[in-house]
Amino acid sequence: MDFITLKAYAKINLALDVIGKRANGYHDVRMIMQTVKLYDKVTIKPMTNPDIVIKTNLHYLPTNENNIVYAAAKLFKETYQISDGLYINLEKKIPVAAGMAGGSSDAAATLWGLNTLFETNIPMKELMELGLKLGADVPYCILRGTALSEGIGEILTPLPAAHNFHCLIVKPPVSVSTKYVYENLDLNKAENHPDVDGMVEAIKTNDILGITSRLGNILETVTLKVHPEIEDIKKTMLSYGALNSLMSGSGPTVFGLFDDLSAAEKAFYAFKVGPYGKQTYLTTFFQ
Ligand code: ATP
């Protein structure tokens, strides 16, 4: 095989709860993860020269060890003694630093692609364990689909495919530091823990309103205070007929779930011509 191109899909959180903080600073979470069909493209081509060369369409992303794709390629090469160099082209579409696990998904696609390209036949479970060294969400990005994520994100329970909503994604042009959000979450005061177990049941029984009524993200308490436009986007989505809307991850991306395609399209076009138009997407769940 000369080269391989992979789709690295984004995720949203249908529910995100934080239940504790570990001494090492990591947080224990309970999250319902859902892959959506918004993706980056990762193309990998082996080279005789032993270097790892990264090219990307986003000029502000690092192309050295600080790009998680570089780190994933280096880890795979070292772990499985691959001497070839790699030329990797990263075509970003997933909003960056947005709560959609874009980097984690690029890393997952890189590991998966290298396993295919070099015919190393590493079982998925081992690939997920390797991915955890790169980031807590990487194992999930290898698994994909609908899943309950616990521990620091590495304990994964696959769930049946959730109802396939039309999913409107809007990323306002503000930067949110995941570190800031977690550090400013006061677990003693937080009252709005989402009903994660109820969400699992609603997904298992395909209870559409059971799912949408339980959308919840404990991190909203922190991020919304700093970026009130997130609340405005959520409300606008509801006014266009979204069954519900929520911030994904630590934000600032907001998603709205629609059952009615024409309502979703009307909302999409309204956001497209507004101030957040550049990063507005209408997609569906990856199942
Ligand atoms: P998560 O949902 O896991 O918190 P995120 O959406 O908040 O992910 P990413 O888009 O993965 O965050 O990127 C966060 C930071 O990592 C960016 O500021 C960026 O500079 C750096 N980075 C390194 N590699 C990548 C990559 N391949 N894609 C995007 N960002 C990357």
Side-chain angles (χ1 to χ4, degrees), residues 11-250:
K11 63 85 182 159
I12 55 170
N13 299 100
L14 299 178
L16 192 163
D17 198 10
V18 179
I19 55 172
K21 189 175 176 182
R22 299 184 184 182
N24 59 8
Y26 280 97
H27 287 80
D28 275 287
V29 293
R30 295 194 79 221
M31 309 189 283
I32 305 289
M33 318 288 279
Q34 175 63 54
T35 311
V36 292
K37 287 186 179 166
L38 170 66
Y39 56 84
D40 296 338
K41 269 192 201 161
V42 182
T43 301
I44 314 174
K45 191 172 165 39
M47 309 189 292
T48 38
N49 161 343
D51 298 342
I52 298 170
V53 177
I54 310 277
K55 291 269 183 260
T56 171
N57 58 324
L58 296 186
H59 64 88
Y60 55 85
L61 283 186
T63 52
N64 57 12
E65 295 84 350
N66 295 326
N67 194 307
I68 192 166
V69 165
Y70 188 110
K74 185 163 179 267
L75 180 65
F76 191 93
K77 262 165 67 70
E78 283 172 2
T79 309
Y80 302 110
Q81 284 110 44
I82 306 284
S83 56
D84 296 44
L86 300 166
Y87 174 86
I88 306 180
N89 188 58
L90 174 61
E91 196 182 314
K92 291 291 300 179
K93 189 168 181 193
I94 303 172
V96 173
M100 302 198 77
S104 303
S105 191
D106 296 341
T110 303
L111 296 180
W112 189 271
L114 290 171
N115 195 24
T116 309
L117 203 54
F118 291 101
E119 297 176 350
T120 29
N121 295 318
I122 315 301
M124 189 163 167
K125 189 169 172 284
E126 189 179 325
L127 217 52
M128 287 162 74
E129 281 162 12
L130 189 67
L132 183 59
K133 295 184 180 170
L134 298 161
D137 282 345
V138 178
Y140 165 71
C141 292
I142 293 174
L143 181 70
R144 309 197 291 201
T146 312
L148 170 67
S149 162
E150 296 171 291
I152 61 161
E154 84 291 13
I155 306 169
L156 294 166
T157 310
L159 294 170
H163 175 77
N164 201 356
F165 294 97
H166 300 286
C167 181
L168 177 64
I169 289 168
V170 175
K171 148 92 174 44
V174 294
S175 299
V176 171
S177 146
T178 303
K179 194 163 169 270
Y180 171 87
V181 175
Y182 274 94
E183 277 175 6
N184 284 276
L185 176 70
D186 188 344
L187 279 179
N188 298 319
K189 286 198 195 136
E191 283 164 7
N192 54 343
H193 288 274
D195 176 13
V196 177
D197 293 321
M199 178 67 88
V200 170
E201 268 321 295
I203 289 169
K204 284 184 177 168
T205 55
N206 199 26
D207 171 4
I208 296 178
L209 295 181
I211 295 171
T212 53
S213 65
R214 287 183 178 83
L215 292 186
N217 180 346
I218 200 163
L219 301 179
E220 278 191 344
T221 41
V222 182
T223 314
L224 259 65
K225 261 187 217 136
V226 196
H227 300 293
E229 55 270 67
I230 293 173
E231 185 68 57
D232 296 340
I233 297 170
K234 288 179 67 181
K235 282 191 187 141
T236 307
M237 286 186 179
L238 295 180
S239 76
Y240 276 93
L243 297 176
N244 208 348
S245 56
L246 189 73
M247 183 182 85
S248 186
S250 51

